[in-house]
Amino acid sequence: MSGGWRRAVSQISLFYKFFYGIIAIAMAILLFSSATSYLYTRNIFEQQAADAASRLVDNINTGFEDNLDQVDRIIMSMYADAESNNSKTSMREALSPEPYGSLTEQYSANQSLQAFFERMINLRSDFNSVYIYVTPVKQYSYVIYGMTKAQYDPTGEEWYRKSVEADGRTVISAPHKPFQLIYDKDVISFSRVLKGFSDNDRDNGVILIDLSMESLENIVKKAKLSETTGVLLLNEEGRMMFAGKASPHIDELQPSLLRQMSRAPNGSFDVEIAGNRYLLSYSTLEVTGWKSVTLTPYSELNKSGKSMLAVYLLLAVAALALAVLMAYLLSKKIFLPIQHLKKGIVQVKQGNFNVMLEPTTQDELGQLVFSFNGMVDTIKRLIAENYEEQFARKNAEFKYLQSQINPHFIYNTLQIVSGMAAVHKVPEIGTVTKSLAKMLRYGINMQQSTVPVRDEIENVVCYMGIQKLRFRGYFDYDLDIDEQIYSYSVVKLILQPIVENSITHGLEEKENGGRVRLSGRVDNGELRLEVYDNGIGMTPEEIERVLTSVYDPDREVARLSRSGHSIGLRNIHARIRLMYGAPYGLELDSRKNEWTRVIIRLPIRESEGTQR
């Protein structure tokens, strides 16, 4: 598919390539600017949504602070009533843990509290009930909605314990069914310990004020959010306490969303709920530690952005039409001289070398016409020289064919020697000639730069067999090759030079017991070949000089290494790097007077065929 597309493009004239190229650049610029403007606009709307969430949090914080302030004022008014009441029984007697002296005192105290409750309820329409607990005998309740529970004892309740532990600070309880009432709607409670109504400094009781959920809804309304923006209120455990009318129908937020919101006190991110995308913005309420969450649908965010995008696209279409007109006129102006030059080239192609073009401009195209005229003149002069070059090339090809004859002659001669050895019953000569013939045939076939591992192993085995006959009694070899690697591909003629180094530089100086081990396997996703000898080894300094010559032959220190040992390794390493790149190549390790090991690292690649 891609090849056909490239062929189709290559057949288009340069004029239209330039023309379409300008249009493509203009379209890319216009699309980029339109998309950037759209994204910028959408970011503005997202920021506005985040600001709205922040506004909501500020309103809720302010609302709770106002409620806390009103509770504090209510408590202070109770103290004021207790101090200013000159009757025999007063607020102080009603809230003191001491029992009443008579029914008259109890009646008067109840009347005093009833008047206080009525004043407090008249302050705001969202008050639902007020409850004061001093002792099991002294419990007072004023209820707008609901019914007081019979024989209610708050001392075992969680809200009572938290109020006592707060030691004078107001405690806000999340939306819940009233603690002391039988009522089926949620309320928000403010509770606080009462002190100072008796002679000692101990707690005198607890006051509990319930506000209807209307108070929270009024706080949310003050944020002036979009009608499609949902509002959620979560407690410190992440449980949903309140959901606005526009909120999506969900019982609980996903744990992953709760974890994401727990990473910072405020922020925003994209979520998908019930198949719809929302911008979720959240912030933590300072007063309670609850989280206020807004869910703004992206359909709402994108509504204005889409209108602006339509305007941008309309402007882009107009700009594109203008760009097409300008691109066409500019292309015609530029490519008229090119068309003139093309006609001249066609004539030269047809064999007319007497054509001379007249430059129509002084710019680069005019200079190109001058160069064309010079080229045509040069071609005339080079035609005669071309015949001489052809003759020289034929001569070179002939010499190359002659060079190919000699290896084949040697190979055929070795076959004759092998036959004579069999006739005269000299098997060792036959073995050597057969091995040498195989090596020669393997070496002169240069059509392949890579071969199967099996062919490379067979070649080096032929070499080691010849050397084993040469060094009778103190040289032998072992093979440890994993069968699965035989079909893998390796660079040709990399093992024999390394084995030759091992014998020449490692084993010839040993008196006996010389051994070469050739192993191969897959290691960590790579093909690993290893040539090991138990020769004289090398010192760390010698290893460093050889490796420097192999890895960095341009350094001056490379000339200090043993030429025969390092040049072959360097050439093999360079061929591997040229074929496969880093990190493949050679590694060297040795211990003086003990052993030397050369490791070849190659990628795992299946061979396309076996050389024969």
Side-chain angles (χ1 to χ4, degrees):
M1 185 68 179
S2 60
W5 183 83
R6 284 196 297 268
R7 284 193 298 271
V9 171
S10 65
Q11 294 173 0
I12 300 176
S13 67
L14 190 59
F15 169 82
Y16 286 106
K17 287 180 182 177
F18 185 79
F19 174 64
Y20 294 145
I22 294 178
I23 295 177
I25 293 172
M27 289 183 63
I29 294 174
L30 292 173
L31 289 175
F32 175 77
S33 60
S34 299
T36 303
S37 301
Y38 169 71
L39 292 175
Y40 177 74
T41 305
R42 191 180 70 172
N43 287 337
I44 291 177
F45 288 120
E46 290 180 358
Q47 185 60 45
Q48 289 177 350
D51 293 341
S54 178
R55 249 191 344 267
L56 173 65
V57 171
D58 292 340
N59 286 347
I60 295 178
N61 268 324
T62 302
F64 278 113
E65 289 174 354
D66 291 343
N67 286 323
L68 286 175
D69 185 58
Q70 287 190 11
V71 170
D72 291 339
R73 288 200 299 270
I74 289 171
I75 301 301
M76 295 308 297
S77 68
M78 295 174 67
Y79 285 106
D81 287 351
E83 294 297 330
S84 62
N85 196 335
N86 295 322
S87 62
K88 186 174 181 180
T89 59
S90 65
M91 184 77 74
R92 181 178 294 277
E93 281 74 21
L95 300 180
S96 171
E98 300 298 329
Y100 291 116
S102 64
L103 291 176
T104 303
E105 289 182 359
Q106 182 177 357
Y107 177 79
S108 299
N110 287 334
Q111 289 294 105
S112 177
L113 280 175
Q114 182 73 12
F116 167 75
F117 288 154
E118 290 178 354
R119 289 198 310 272
M120 186 182 69
I121 293 297
N122 290 331
L123 291 177
R124 286 175 49 173
S125 61
D126 54 358
F127 275 99
N128 187 75
S129 64
V130 182
Y131 172 74
I132 297 177
Y133 175 86
V134 180
T135 65
V137 176
K138 290 187 176 183
Q139 298 187 52
Y140 311 99
S141 179
Y142 191 88
V143 182
I144 302 298
Y145 300 106
M147 181 182 300
T148 304
K149 295 178 181 179
Q151 297 180 347
Y152 178 69
D153 183 6
T155 56
E157 298 278 351
E158 180 72 12
W159 71 267
Y160 184 89
R161 181 185 62 78
K162 288 184 177 180
S163 301
V164 173
E165 291 176 353
D167 194 26
R169 297 188 306 274
T170 301
V171 176
I172 303 176
S173 298
H176 61 281
K177 296 296 186 292
F179 300 120
Q180 81 286 5
L181 301 178
I182 300 174
Y183 187 50
D184 60 352
K185 293 184 178 180
D186 287 345
V187 296
I188 299 176
S189 299
F190 296 79
S191 56
R192 181 173 173 177
V193 168
L194 299 175
K195 292 185 177 183
F197 293 98
S198 60
D199 295 336
N200 53 36
D201 194 30
R202 69 177 183 176
D203 299 341
N204 296 119
V206 174
I207 183 171
L208 175 69
I209 301 173
D210 289 341
L211 299 182
S212 66
M213 293 300 291
E214 179 185 351
S215 61
L216 184 57
E217 293 173 355
N218 291 334
I219 292 174
V220 172
K221 288 179 181 178
K222 291 180 182 179
K224 297 180 180 180
L225 301 176
S226 168
E227 294 181 357
T228 60
T229 299
V231 178
L232 304 176
L233 192 63
L234 309 179
N235 64 10
E236 294 171 327
E237 289 79 23
R239 295 180 180 175
M240 193 181 306
M241 303 182 298
F242 171 80
K245 295 180 180 179
S247 302
H249 297 289
I250 49 176
D251 297 329
E252 295 292 339
L253 286 179
Q254 301 173 1
S256 59
L257 299 181
L258 297 177
R259 287 194 298 270
Q260 195 165 352
M261 285 191 289
S262 65
R263 297 172 184 170
N266 52 68
S268 61
F269 50 88
D270 296 347
V271 297
E272 184 172 338
I273 299 175
N276 298 318
R277 289 185 66 229
Y278 294 86
L279 174 65
L280 185 150
S281 301
Y282 69 95
S283 188
T284 304
L285 304 180
E286 298 177 359
V287 176
T288 61
W290 302 341
K291 281 191 173 5
S292 169
V293 180
T294 60
L295 292 167
T296 307
Y298 265 93
S299 57
E300 181 70 20
L301 293 176
N302 295 334
K303 187 181 298 182
S304 299
K306 289 179 179 178
S307 300
M308 297 188 68
L309 180 61
V311 175
Y312 294 148
L313 291 178
L314 183 62
L315 293 175
V317 170
L320 181 60
L322 181 61
V324 170
L325 177 61
M326 295 182 63
Y328 180 78
L329 296 176
L330 180 62
S331 300
K332 291 290 283 185
K333 180 67 175 176
I334 292 177
F335 283 94
L336 278 176
I338 296 179
Q339 293 291 337
H340 184 54
L341 179 61
K342 178 184 176 182
K343 293 179 181 178
I345 294 173
V346 171
Q347 293 185 40
V348 172
K349 180 181 178 182
Q350 294 173 351
N352 182 13
F353 296 102
N354 296 318
V355 61
M356 284 292 166
L357 302 179
E358 185 68 26
T360 57
T361 61
Q362 299 299 321
D363 55 11
E364 288 82 357
L365 291 175
Q367 295 175 10
L368 187 60
V369 171
F370 278 115
S371 300
F372 172 77
N373 292 335
M375 179 191 69
V376 173
D377 186 61
T378 303
I379 289 175
K380 294 178 182 179
R381 188 179 71 251
L382 293 178
I383 287 178
E385 298 178 4
N386 182 54
Y387 291 107
E388 297 179 3
E389 291 178 0
Q390 290 182 4
F391 178 78
R393 184 169 61 253
K394 293 295 183 180
N395 189 35
E397 291 176 357
F398 178 73
K399 291 182 178 179
Y400 173 75
L401 290 175
Q402 281 186 325
S403 67
Q404 292 295 306
I405 294 173
N406 292 332
H408 288 286
F409 175 75
I410 296 173
Y411 172 74
N412 293 331
T413 302
L414 289 174
Q415 294 285 11
I416 294 172
V417 173
S418 178
M420 294 174 64
V423 171
H424 294 285
K425 298 182 180 181
V426 187
E428 293 181 344
I429 296 178
T431 301
V432 171
T433 54
K434 287 180 181 179
S435 298
L436 185 58
K438 287 183 180 180
M439 292 179 63
L440 181 62
R441 185 176 182 182
Y442 183 77
I444 65 175
N445 187 353
M446 300 306 294
Q447 295 178 355
Q448 293 176 300
S449 58
T450 61
V451 295
V453 172
R454 184 183 303 278
D455 291 356
E456 186 70 7
I457 295 296
E458 288 179 356
N459 181 64
V460 78
V461 167
C462 288
Y463 174 77
M464 289 191 294
I466 294 173
Q467 294 294 348
K468 184 176 180 180
L469 290 175
R470 176 189 171 195
F471 301 104
R472 295 178 182 274
Y474 69 92
F475 167 72
D476 205 346
Y477 65 89
D478 298 318
L479 293 180
D480 181 18
I481 308 297
D482 193 342
E483 288 287 341
Q484 68 170 339
I485 74 169
Y486 277 126
S487 61
Y488 294 159
S489 174
V490 295
V491 180
K492 187 176 182 179
L493 291 175
I494 58 174
L495 288 177
Q496 185 270 330
I498 297 176
V499 173
E500 184 176 352
N501 271 345
S502 297
I503 296 173
T504 304
H505 301 286
L507 300 180
E508 283 191 355
E509 298 183 23
K510 289 179 67 74
E511 293 182 359
N512 51 43
R515 182 171 291 275
V516 172
R517 183 176 68 244
L518 180 61
S519 59
R521 61 185 47 84
V522 174
D523 184 22
N524 292 327
E526 295 179 349
L527 177 58
R528 182 186 177 103
L529 301 175
E530 181 179 306
V531 178
Y532 172 90
D533 69 78
N534 62 347
I536 62 172
M538 290 182 284
T539 64
E541 293 77 13
E542 291 173 332
I543 294 175
E544 183 178 359
R545 286 198 297 269
V546 173
L547 289 178
T548 300
S549 174
V550 171
Y551 297 149
D552 191 6
D554 294 331
R555 290 185 55 180
E556 184 69 19
V557 71
R559 297 190 296 127
L560 301 177
S561 64
R562 292 179 293 174
S563 59
H565 200 293
S566 61
I567 291 177
L569 296 180
R570 181 168 68 243
N571 291 338
I572 294 171
H573 182 76
R575 289 169 59 203
I576 293 174
R577 282 292 175 92
L578 184 63
M579 179 74 69
Y580 303 117
Y584 304 109
L586 300 185
E587 296 178 0
L588 177 65
D589 192 12
S590 183
R591 182 173 296 176
K592 189 64 176 175
N593 296 323
E594 293 190 22
W595 52 267
T596 299
R597 176 173 55 219
V598 179
I599 300 169
I600 306 173
R601 296 172 56 207
L602 298 168
I604 296 177
R605 296 185 181 177
E606 289 287 343
S607 177
E608 297 181 358
T610 303
Q611 175 182 307
R612 295 298 182 194

